[in-house]
């Protein structure tokens, strides 16, 4: 009887552990990295000073990222190294051209990083093993979750640009949460309509280059004249990676970002297609 009770307790404890957010039983493929991840990794060669800064800047911890590279941050095949590889691109990868860039590094970092600011309240980055989403934002605990679709090397969006683009997308849901903006009832988006074929749709609020000073992306006037949707911020970041990167950013990273942006532009905007990478700037 005592043995049976112990077995039942052990089974219950295992079930609880497996159900915990960020549990150590990762389902993502940890055997390889995309070519874009490998090429960007070659630039920094596992820069320890950077990833020891990055985990704090994105509020990440060993409980959420156990067995995902938390204690093996130089293994580019694992989820946490891939996360900070994308963050490295966000931090250093753009030229910030006043004449050509949609927004500046200061805007993208403030959207992606954890600290409370005009862009959002404090948030935390966690992993999820879901495969029906790229990522999500939870207003109840202010977490940005990124999924195996951004980490499994065989997936189209498992590259540094797309991963960072999702930081922007979910960070913008946090922006809406901060200011109580209602962007729709479908996961913070609108139902399928217009030119949008996705489950959750947005408007693309066109604006000229230079309409937003660097650092002013968070500003809006409550109208379509000065506003951004989550998919829009994501596409604008991806196109800045593709079209306005630092010279050292590998072509594989730029090409993957462009493909992701153009796919979203075609599928996710009610008034789409939205801006496509390579289109003339400014309007």
């Amino acid at each position: 009887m005592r043995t049976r009770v112990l077995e039942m307790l052990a089974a219950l404890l295992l079930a609880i552990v497996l159900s915990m957010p960020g549990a150590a039983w990762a389902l993502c493929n940890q055997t390889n990295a995309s070519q874009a991840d490998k090429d960007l990794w070659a630039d920094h060669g596992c820069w320890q000073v950077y990833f020891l800064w990055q985990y704090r800047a994105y509020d990440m911890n060993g409980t959420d990222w156990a067995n995902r590279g938390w204690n093996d941050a130089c293994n580019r095949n694992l989820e946490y190294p891939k996360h900070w590889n994308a963050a490295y691109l966000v931090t250093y990868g753009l030229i910030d051209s006043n004449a050509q860039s949609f927004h500046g590094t200061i805007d993208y970092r403030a959207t992606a990083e954890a600290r409370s600011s005009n862009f959002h309240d404090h948030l935390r980055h966690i992993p999820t093993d879901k495969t029906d989403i790229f990522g999500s934002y939870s207003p109840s605990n202010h977490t940005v979750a990124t999924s195996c679709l951004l980490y499994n090397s065989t997936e189209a969006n498992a590259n540094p640009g797309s991963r960072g683009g999702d930081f922007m997308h979910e960070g913008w849901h946090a922006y809406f949460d901060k200011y109580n903006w209602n962007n729709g009832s479908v996961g913070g988006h609108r139902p399928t309509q217009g030119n949008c074929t996705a489950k959750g749709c947005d408007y693309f609020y066109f604006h000229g280059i230079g309409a937003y000073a660097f650092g002013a992306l968070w500003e809006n006037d409550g109208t379509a004249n000065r506003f951004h949707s989550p998919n829009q911020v994501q596409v604008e970041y991806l196109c800045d990676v593709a079209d306005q990167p630092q010279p050292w950013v590998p072509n594989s990273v730029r090409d993957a970002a462009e493909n992701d942006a153009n796919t979203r532009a075609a599928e996710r905007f009610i008034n789409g297609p939205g801006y496509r990478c390579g289109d003339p700037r400014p309007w």
Side-chain angles (χ1 to χ4, degrees), residues 10-132:
L12 178 61
L13 179 60
L14 179 60
I16 292 172
V17 171
L18 288 174
S19 66
M20 290 173 60
W25 306 87
L27 299 178
C28 299
N29 187 318
Q30 300 180 330
T31 62
N32 205 350
S34 67
Q35 190 60 52
D37 268 309
K38 293 175 182 176
D39 291 344
L40 183 62
W41 194 269
D43 181 79
H44 55 69
C46 190
W47 184 13
Q48 183 180 25
V49 171
Y50 180 77
F51 72 70
L52 289 176
W53 168 86
Q54 187 269 346
Y55 84 86
R56 295 187 294 270
Y58 284 72
D59 194 359
M60 304 167 75
N61 63 68
T63 300
D64 295 324
W65 294 87
N67 281 11
R68 299 176 190 266
W70 183 256
N71 293 315
D72 195 8
C74 288
N75 184 342
R76 66 188 184 190
N77 295 335
L78 303 180
E79 292 98 309
Y80 171 56
K82 289 175 181 176
H83 189 288
W84 77 255
N85 201 31
Y88 175 84
L89 182 65
V90 174
T91 305
Y92 297 113
L94 302 177
I95 62 172
D96 289 351
S97 167
N98 286 307
Q100 293 293 320
S101 299
F102 280 107
H103 304 286
T105 297
I106 187 175
D107 298 287
Y108 296 130
R109 282 188 54 186
T111 303
E113 292 173 15
R115 67 182 178 87
S116 179
S117 69
N118 288 326
F119 288 76
H120 54 64
D121 292 331
H122 187 91
L123 53 79
R124 182 165 56 92
H125 280 252
I126 65 172
T128 176
D129 290 322
K130 291 183 177 181
T131 56
D132 59 340

Side-chain angles (χ1 to χ4, degrees), residues 204-240:
F204 195 100
Y205 302 93
F206 288 87
H207 65 82
I209 299 300
Y212 290 81
F214 291 167
L217 172 59
W218 67 276
E219 296 177 358
N220 73 79
D221 64 4
T223 75
N225 292 322
R226 194 169 182 82
F227 202 77
H228 282 80
S229 65
N231 277 297
Q232 179 179 351
V233 174
Q234 186 170 15
V235 166
E236 290 179 351
Y237 169 74
L238 289 167
C239 286
D240 276 341

Side-chain angles (χ1 to χ4, degrees), residues 183-202:
N183 192 52
S185 60
V186 185
H189 301 282
R190 303 169 191 270
T192 304
Q193 58 186 297
N195 293 321
C196 174
T197 59
K199 290 182 179 179
C201 304
D202 285 341

